[in-house]
């Protein structure tokens, strides 16, 4: 069957209730007739998605007119906000927004300009830590001798800063070998002062961040119900071939059947593996699959060629493969179980194919955005920043700080209260109020957006408030108290405080809210491995549901995306950032392994990015949550513990 017949068959088969059909006469008044006679919904004409099989619905479309507050991309003519010009990110497909009038872009007076243009805080210049991606902040330095104490990386600090409970050395060595014990009895105190569960000591994972939990270990062999990774780590046997890189080196996913997962359109399943690669990489002379199974292997008697194509009688086309040929289909279709015919695929199942909203269409799909966002490049949703660039609010262990989402113009919003240790942070958009907890003074504070009008909100029963969250619809503050293992809620003034959750919590940590649907999400680090979980409840604490119970290490930060109805969390044991739907389904790994997220802690999302604090890199990191990343390329260096977004139009994604 030829390609034309393929399209006719697929479109006729899926015509009912979709609004597409092929006729010889004219189309209905509510339809647009393609050049080949096909009828589609009139609203699909010139909407940026090619719905006609001959693409005629996107021909002769009027070019978009840009306002005075927008920039017109050179090649596509697309309009983007002026706030996105010269911001370090390519918002135009041709990158023209970063090539025009950006030559005079400079860093602020309190920042150092790296040779390649990156801006980092001026105090990071010659501090023995390489912050610039080109290491230029540590070039031509004359390091002075230390008069009091020396960090492990060679930097200097004062005697008063040694073992004071605050991390003054960027490598945490000022808190190493301290005699004061502050971890609970069921946890291990690392040399840098961090606390980790006892079960994580000598397990082949650097949970402390300084490897002190793995020093002097005599590792035991894995049990019979466990799998031994190439690194020696032990994981449950049920985690093998589950499409997750649990070992960190993919050794638990080698030798798996690629049929255990569905490959996306245009992909080919690697034999003996769960990995899928794009079809153009098959038999291209370069090994892309594990063990090179996508190329000729004379030992295995596999030779790239097309000798099987005539027998396959592919409905569309045949591509060379080590097995002698494989059928493939046009975009939007996949090969059916008969290995030759093509069937429509729901493109919206593809992770990240649209940033926010996706509508599946026969052989295609259409992306759209929620109110307050506009579509860019056909699938990216960018916020309307006409009222100002969104800001990140975070703590550096003492002060509450602020910077824009590109890591520029970092400033202290509220200085630490004495020897304070700011931990949890939250923000209420409507009243421009910042909230934060201090585990040293054992209080919860508030201030206005400019850092003024500092108030004590809570002063009793707040010994270790690890997280705060704001209900922006009902003007309520949610408080997670780790020491007494409970979640409370109160007014912004601290009054009318009640306890919502106080049972079946071992070591609660992360907290996030979605008031639009009345959900509260929280993580529990547990005491034993089987007690670690991510839960959902109504915002009054009722109807608790365990969303995730398996394959969790130490779930720390948590945040929500109210548009896509997904919850994201960081795991500082497995060094991952992961996500599931509000119902605990469709689990995805966003970042995986020490190279991408060495020690992810606090977390927030905005647009198609995830922002997270990393204790190893001592900075706020930014990465695209839909693509394979190297977050270091988009590093926003601000010594920090936990981030929070101040977003002019979308308070729902803030401050978790």
């Amino acid at each position: 069957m030829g390609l034309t017949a393929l399209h006719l068959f697929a479109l006729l088969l899926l015509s009912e209730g979709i609004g597409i059909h092929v006729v010889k006469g004219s189309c209905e008044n509510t339809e647009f007739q393609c050049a080949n006679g096909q009828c589609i919904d009139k609203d699909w004409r010139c909407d940026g998605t090619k719905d006609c099989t001959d693409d005629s619905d996107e021909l002769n479309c009027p070019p978009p007119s840009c306002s005075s507050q927008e920039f017109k991309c050179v090649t596509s003519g697309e309009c983007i906000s002026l706030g996105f010009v010269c911001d370090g990110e390519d918002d135009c497909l041709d990158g023209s927004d970063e090539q025009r009038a950006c030559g005079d872009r400079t860093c602020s007076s309190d920042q150092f300009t790296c040779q390649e243009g990156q801006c980092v805080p001026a105090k990071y210049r010659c501090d023995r830590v390489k912050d610039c991606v080109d290491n230029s902040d540590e070039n031509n330095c004359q390091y002075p001798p230390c008069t009091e104490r020396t960090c492990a990386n060679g930097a200097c600090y004062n005697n008063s800063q040694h073992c004071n409970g605050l991390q003054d050395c960027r490598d945490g060595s000022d808190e190493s070998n301290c005699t004061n014990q502050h971890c609970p009895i069921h946890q291990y105190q690392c040399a840098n002062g961090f606390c980790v569960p006892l079960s994580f000591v000598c397990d082949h994972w650097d949970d402390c961040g300084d490897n002190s939990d793995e020093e002097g270990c005599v590792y035991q062999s894995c049990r019979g119900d466990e799998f031994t990774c190439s690194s020696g780590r032990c994981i449950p046997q049920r985690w093998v071939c589950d499409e997750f890189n649990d070992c960190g080196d993919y050794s638990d996913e080698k030798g798996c059947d690629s049929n255990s997962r569905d490959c996306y359109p245009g992909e080919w399943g690697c034999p003996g593996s769960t990995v899928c690669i794009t079809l153009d990489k098959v038999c291209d002379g370069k090994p892309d699959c594990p063990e090179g199974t996508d190329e000729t292997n004379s030992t295995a008697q596999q030779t790239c060629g097309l000798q099987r194509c005539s027998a396959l009688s592919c409905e569309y086309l045949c591509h060379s493969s080590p097995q002698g040929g494989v059928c493939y289909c046009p975009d939007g279709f996949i090969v059916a179980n008969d290995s030759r015919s093509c069937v429509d695929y729901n493109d919206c199942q593809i992770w990240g194919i649209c940033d926010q909203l996706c509508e599946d269409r026969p052989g295609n799909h259409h992306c759209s955005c929620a109110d307050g966002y506009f579509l860019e490049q056909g699938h990216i949703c960018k916020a309307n920043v006409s009222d100002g660039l969104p800001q990140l609010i975070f703590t550096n262990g003492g002060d509450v700080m602020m910077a824009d989402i590109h890591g520029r113009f970092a400033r202290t919003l509220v200085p630490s209260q004495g020897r304070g240790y700011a931990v949890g942070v939250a923000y209420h958009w409507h009243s421009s109020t910042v909230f934060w907890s201090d585990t040293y003074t054992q209080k919860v504070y508030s201030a206005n957006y400019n850092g003024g009008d500092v108030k004590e909100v809570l002063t009793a029963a707040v010994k270790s408030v690890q997280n705060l969250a704001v209900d922006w619809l009902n003007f309520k503050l949610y408080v997670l108290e780790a020491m007494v293992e409970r979640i409370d809620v109160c007014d912004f003034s601290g009054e009318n405080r009640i306890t919502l959750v106080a049972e079946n919590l071992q070591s609660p940590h992360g907290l996030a809210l979605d008031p639009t649907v009345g959900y509260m999400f929280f993580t529990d680090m547990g005491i034993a491995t089987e007690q670690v979980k991510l839960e959902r409840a109504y915002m009054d604490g009722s109807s608790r549901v365990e969303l995730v119970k398996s394959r969790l290490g130490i779930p720390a930060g948590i945040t929500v995306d109210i548009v896509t109805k997904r919850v994201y969390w960081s795991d500082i044991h497995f060094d991952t950032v992961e996500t599931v739907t509000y119902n605990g389904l469709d689990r995805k790994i966003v970042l995986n392994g020490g190279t991408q997220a060495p020690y992810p802690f606090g977390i927030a999302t905005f647009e198609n990015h995830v922002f997270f604090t990393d204790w190893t890199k001592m900075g706020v990191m930014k990465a695209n949550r839909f693509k394979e990343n190297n977050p270091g390329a988009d590093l926003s260096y601000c010594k920090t513990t936990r981030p929070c977004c101040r977003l002019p139009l979308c308070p729902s994604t803030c401050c978790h």
Side-chain angles (χ1 to χ4, degrees):
M1 185 183 296
L3 176 59
T4 303
L6 163 68
H7 283 299
L8 288 174
F9 175 75
L11 293 172
L12 288 171
L13 183 66
L14 300 171
S15 64
E16 185 175 350
I18 295 179
I20 297 182
H21 58 277
V22 177
V23 296
K24 293 183 178 179
S26 61
C27 299
E28 301 291 339
N29 292 333
T30 59
E31 296 176 323
F32 169 80
Q33 185 163 17
C34 308
N36 62 2
Q38 177 187 348
C39 297
I40 65 171
D41 193 295
K42 185 177 290 187
D43 292 337
W44 295 358
R45 162 74 170 149
C46 292
D47 67 349
T49 301
K50 297 175 181 178
D51 299 290
C52 293
T53 57
D54 58 8
D55 301 340
S56 57
D57 58 314
E58 297 301 317
L59 298 177
N60 303 317
C61 295
S65 58
C66 302
S67 69
S68 60
Q69 298 301 312
E70 293 178 319
F71 173 83
K72 188 174 184 178
C73 299
V74 175
T75 303
S76 65
E78 190 173 18
C79 301
I80 66 170
S81 172
L82 284 177
F84 297 145
V85 178
C86 298
D87 66 351
E89 295 183 27
D90 289 340
D91 297 288
C92 296
L93 278 171
D94 57 6
S96 56
D97 57 311
E98 297 304 311
Q99 299 167 358
R100 299 298 180 95
C102 296
D104 58 350
R105 177 173 52 192
T106 59
C107 300
S108 62
S109 58
D110 60 347
Q111 292 180 318
F112 170 78
T113 304
C114 305
Q115 289 181 2
E116 52 72 54
Q118 180 186 359
C119 300
V120 301
K123 62 183 179 181
Y124 287 1
R125 166 71 173 150
C126 295
D127 69 346
R128 298 181 183 269
V129 178
K130 296 176 180 178
D131 299 292
C132 296
V133 295
D134 58 11
N135 303 331
S136 56
D137 59 313
E138 298 301 313
N139 292 342
N140 304 316
C141 293
Q142 295 180 347
Y143 299 110
C146 297
T147 58
E148 295 187 27
R149 289 183 175 270
T150 306
C151 303
N153 61 19
C156 304
Y157 69 105
N158 302 326
N159 288 324
S160 61
Q161 295 174 313
H162 182 62
C163 295
N164 65 348
L166 302 178
Q167 186 170 326
D168 299 290
C169 292
R170 293 183 66 191
D171 57 10
S173 55
D174 58 308
E175 298 302 312
S176 300
N177 302 316
C178 298
T179 56
N180 51 324
Q181 178 75 25
H182 64 273
C183 294
I185 191 171
H186 61 274
Q187 293 187 328
Y188 170 81
Q189 181 164 315
C190 308
N192 58 17
F194 297 152
C195 303
V196 300
L198 287 173
S199 60
F200 291 162
V201 177
C202 294
D203 66 347
H204 292 277
W205 295 84
D206 177 14
D207 297 293
C208 288
D210 60 4
N211 206 48
S212 57
D213 58 316
E214 299 300 313
E215 293 177 351
C217 295
V218 178
Y219 294 107
Q220 303 295 321
S221 299
C222 298
R223 300 192 308 267
D225 59 347
E226 293 180 323
F227 173 81
T228 304
C229 304
S230 297
S231 63
R233 294 171 178 168
C234 301
I235 64 170
Q237 190 69 42
R238 64 181 182 276
W239 292 5
V240 177
C241 294
D242 64 352
E243 302 171 24
F244 283 85
N245 179 20
D246 300 294
C247 286
D249 57 10
Y250 289 97
S251 56
D252 57 314
E253 296 303 311
K254 291 181 179 179
C256 302
D257 182 5
S258 61
N259 291 330
S260 63
R261 64 152 287 185
D262 293 326
C263 293
Y264 293 147
E267 290 185 335
W268 184 78
C270 298
S273 169
T274 57
V275 176
C276 294
I277 63 173
T278 56
L279 194 64
D280 58 2
K281 293 182 178 180
V282 181
C283 291
D284 65 349
K286 300 176 182 178
D288 297 288
C289 290
E291 313 298 332
T293 54
D294 57 313
E295 303 297 330
T296 294
N297 187 332
S298 56
T299 303
Q301 297 182 345
Q302 299 286 326
T303 303
C304 286
L306 298 168
Q307 57 268 28
R308 292 179 61 238
C309 289
S310 58
L312 287 171
S313 185
C314 299
E315 185 174 14
Y316 182 52
L317 292 174
C318 190
H319 190 281
S320 177
S321 78
Q323 293 75 36
V326 62
C327 296
Y328 71 98
C329 299
D331 292 343
F333 296 84
I334 59 173
V335 178
N337 292 333
D338 62 5
S339 300
R340 59 166 300 274
S341 58
C342 296
V343 294
D344 183 48
Y345 184 85
N346 184 354
D347 293 351
C348 295
Q349 295 177 0
I350 301 176
W351 173 246
I353 196 166
C354 296
D355 276 6
Q356 293 184 350
L357 308 176
C358 182
E359 175 192 355
D360 185 51
R361 298 178 181 178
N364 214 324
H365 66 279
H366 179 73
C367 299
S368 58
C369 303
D371 292 342
Y373 293 82
F374 59 88
L375 193 65
E376 192 176 274
Q377 299 181 23
H379 67 99
I380 297 173
C381 291
K382 302 290 286 190
N384 183 348
V385 296
S386 58
D387 292 336
L389 199 61
Q391 303 288 307
L392 281 169
I393 301 175
F394 54 93
T395 70
N396 65 357
D399 306 328
V400 179
M401 303 187 68
M402 177 180 289
D404 67 29
I405 57 172
H406 302 298
R408 303 172 301 193
F409 314 116
R411 64 184 178 90
T412 299
L413 184 64
V414 184
S416 62
Q417 308 301 299
R419 291 181 60 190
Y421 189 26
V423 180
V425 61
Y427 180 75
H428 185 243
W429 180 71
H430 296 291
S431 62
S432 297
T433 304
V434 181
F435 299 90
W436 73 97
S437 62
D438 193 310
T439 56
Y440 185 83
T441 62
Q442 298 183 0
K443 295 178 181 179
V444 174
Y445 300 89
S446 70
N448 60 34
Y449 177 66
N450 296 316
D453 193 24
V454 177
K455 299 177 181 177
E456 295 181 354
V457 178
L458 295 173
T459 59
V462 283
K463 290 186 177 181
S464 183
V465 174
Q466 291 296 312
N467 248 307
L468 301 170
V470 163
D471 174 0
W472 66 89
L473 294 182
N474 299 297
F475 289 63
K476 297 290 184 180
L477 179 66
Y478 283 66
V479 181
L480 188 147
E481 170 46 86
M483 188 71 73
V484 295
E485 301 164 356
R486 73 185 192 196
I487 300 174
D488 295 350
V489 63
C490 64
D491 298 334
F492 286 175
S493 63
E495 298 178 347
N496 299 316
R497 179 178 179 179
I498 60 173
T499 297
L500 301 178
V501 180
E503 297 180 351
N504 299 321
L505 287 178
Q506 303 297 331
S507 185
H509 190 83
L511 179 64
L513 305 175
D514 183 351
T516 64
V517 292
Y519 281 158
M520 169 172 60
F521 302 89
F522 49 95
T523 60
D524 191 340
M525 296 180 176
I527 297 176
T529 305
E530 60 270 13
Q531 296 171 321
V532 181
K533 56 193 173 184
L534 184 155
E535 288 194 64
R536 186 197 73 200
Y538 289 139
M539 289 173 59
D540 62 359
S542 65
S543 301
R544 291 170 61 178
V545 176
E546 295 178 349
L547 293 185
V548 183
K549 278 256 330 171
S550 64
R551 209 167 45 246
L552 289 174
I554 308 178
I558 187 173
T559 189
V560 295
D561 182 339
I562 68 167
V563 177
T564 61
K565 297 293 185 287
R566 298 189 71 95
V567 55
Y568 290 75
W569 74 93
S570 59
D571 193 313
I572 58 179
H573 175 63
F574 291 130
D575 302 330
T576 58
V577 173
E578 300 186 55
T579 177
V580 294
T581 66
Y582 280 7
N583 294 321
L585 305 174
D586 193 27
R587 185 171 181 175
K588 302 287 185 183
I589 294 181
V590 179
L591 297 172
N592 188 8
T595 57
Q596 291 189 335
Y599 208 95
F601 198 72
I603 186 172
T605 60
F606 178 59
E607 295 178 339
N608 58 359
H609 285 98
V610 58
F611 297 83
F612 61 97
T613 58
D614 194 290
W615 283 3
T616 298
K617 294 182 177 293
M618 295 303 295
V620 180
M621 313 291 291
K622 179 178 71 173
N624 189 308
R625 50 182 161 142
F626 300 123
K627 297 179 180 179
E628 292 185 2
N629 293 274
N630 177 10
D634 285 321
L635 191 59
S636 304
Y637 277 104
C638 310
K639 184 180 178 184
T640 176
T641 60
R642 198 166 279 131
C644 158
C645 289
R646 175 194 177 269
L647 312 179
L649 59 100
C650 190
S652 53
T653 62
C654 294
C655 312
H656 305 302

